[in-house]
Amino acid sequence: MIDNPRSPRVRAVAKLAKRDARSETGLFLLEGPQAVSEALEFRPELLVELFATPTASERYGAISRMAAEVGLEVEFVTEDVIDAMADTVTPQGVIAVCRQFPTSLKDILGGEPKLIAVLEEVRDPGNAGTIIRAADAAGADAVILTGRSVDLYNPKVVRATTGSLFHIPVAVGAELEAVLEKTKGAGLQVIAADIKGVDLLVERTAGTLSGPTAWLFGNEARGLSDEHFALADRAITVPIYGHAESMNLATAASVCLYESAFAQRSV
């Protein structure tokens, strides 16, 4: 039982909430039974350490069984230790340390993708994680976060994916111009989701959403710069029929990704 919240080992885990520590170690923090279960099921080779309180281990018994099946020991810790390790205010008693595992842009585009999401300067961790989750749900082939976007392994991003991080390839760090050039070279049309675009319903009716598509999503507050907007093949806006002042980026992205998923599956 690890019971000292100030021990070097506990502090090393807690430091993974900071980007510098993640960059230095190549590791990241994974919190909660759902995310840990997804990692154990889909990418168990990535888990380095697994910690749980005795209460949580009993409550989420499947995690202990899955860990045993892949040869990973669950190390028991006290509630105080979990609190010290966690990034959340009310942790659920299960924490893992994982290896980072970004996919290369070359590998993504070499797989002849039909639907991907490209995030340029998306800074809100919740939005980034939710878009990854939506892309996974819509059956997209990959997500690409440019170097100006939030860190993929930010704990809030990881939590917002609710495990989808382990289902769908994600590339990070490339500049947008290079991403779009290579994306177009792989045969995908680039559609910018932007308020300056054509009504989504118009494009749906025209049948332009059924082809291989890379959706481009910009910054939450500013959208895409004029320079980046011009790089897209076309632009679409999600109409607002009610009185809402605007739509959350992740919500709009979910609509766009599903519109493409519907269109591609109806051909």
Side-chain angles (χ1 to χ4, degrees):
M1 173 79 75
I2 301 174
D3 59 4
N4 182 2
R6 297 180 179 83
S7 71
R9 192 174 181 194
V10 173
R11 289 182 175 179
V13 175
K15 284 181 181 178
L16 295 176
K18 304 297 183 182
R19 185 166 190 163
D20 287 348
R22 294 194 298 272
S23 298
E24 180 181 338
T25 62
L27 303 173
F28 70 101
L29 194 64
L30 188 63
E31 293 190 50
Q34 178 63 36
V36 171
S37 294
E38 296 296 322
L40 283 167
E41 180 174 357
F42 289 92
R43 299 297 303 269
E45 74 280 5
L46 298 173
L47 277 81
V48 177
E49 297 178 293
L50 177 56
F51 306 96
T53 64
T55 300
S57 180
E58 182 177 351
R59 180 179 303 154
Y60 309 113
I63 289 177
S64 296
R65 292 192 294 272
M66 294 169 72
E69 289 173 1
V70 299
L72 183 66
E73 179 185 0
V74 179
E75 300 193 60
F76 290 126
V77 299
T78 63
E79 297 285 352
D80 286 344
V81 166
I82 280 288
D83 287 343
M85 289 178 169
D87 180 64
T88 53
V89 176
T90 55
Q92 295 177 274
V94 180
I95 285 179
V97 174
C98 291
R99 297 182 185 90
Q100 298 178 20
F101 60 110
T103 304
S104 72
L105 184 60
K106 180 180 179 180
D107 286 344
I108 286 174
L109 298 179
E112 299 184 356
K114 297 293 187 293
L115 180 60
I116 63 177
V118 180
L119 280 58
E120 162 63 13
E121 205 183 352
V122 173
R123 298 292 180 85
D124 182 87
N127 279 333
T130 301
I131 292 172
I132 292 171
R133 181 181 182 184
D136 177 27
D141 298 291
V143 177
I144 300 169
L145 276 68
T146 67
R148 288 155 55 88
S149 290
V150 65
D151 176 22
L152 173 63
Y153 300 105
N154 179 303
K156 294 181 177 65
V157 175
V158 174
R159 288 198 300 275
T161 72
T162 63
S164 286
L165 178 63
F166 301 104
H167 305 162
I168 185 170
V170 183
V172 301
E175 291 302 312
L176 181 63
E177 292 82 354
V179 169
L180 297 187
E181 180 183 355
K182 293 176 181 179
T183 298
K184 293 179 182 181
L188 287 85
Q189 63 176 338
V190 175
I191 303 180
D194 193 276
I195 194 171
K196 299 187 292 290
V198 176
D199 190 301
L200 176 60
L201 187 57
V202 173
E203 294 293 338
R204 178 207 279 181
T205 304
T208 56
L209 300 180
S210 59
T213 300
W215 278 99
L216 174 57
F217 304 108
N219 180 263
E220 293 88 348
R222 298 182 297 277
L224 294 164
S225 68
D226 291 341
E227 178 185 0
H228 291 156
F229 180 83
L231 296 175
D233 296 307
R234 55 172 47 87
I236 288 176
T237 186
V238 178
I240 295 177
Y241 298 121
H243 300 291
E245 182 272 332
S246 62
M247 186 179 293
N248 171 269
L249 174 63
T251 302
S254 300
V255 172
C256 294
L257 290 164
Y258 260 97
E259 283 287 344
S260 284
F262 294 147
Q264 292 176 357
R265 284 161 175 74
S266 64
V267 174

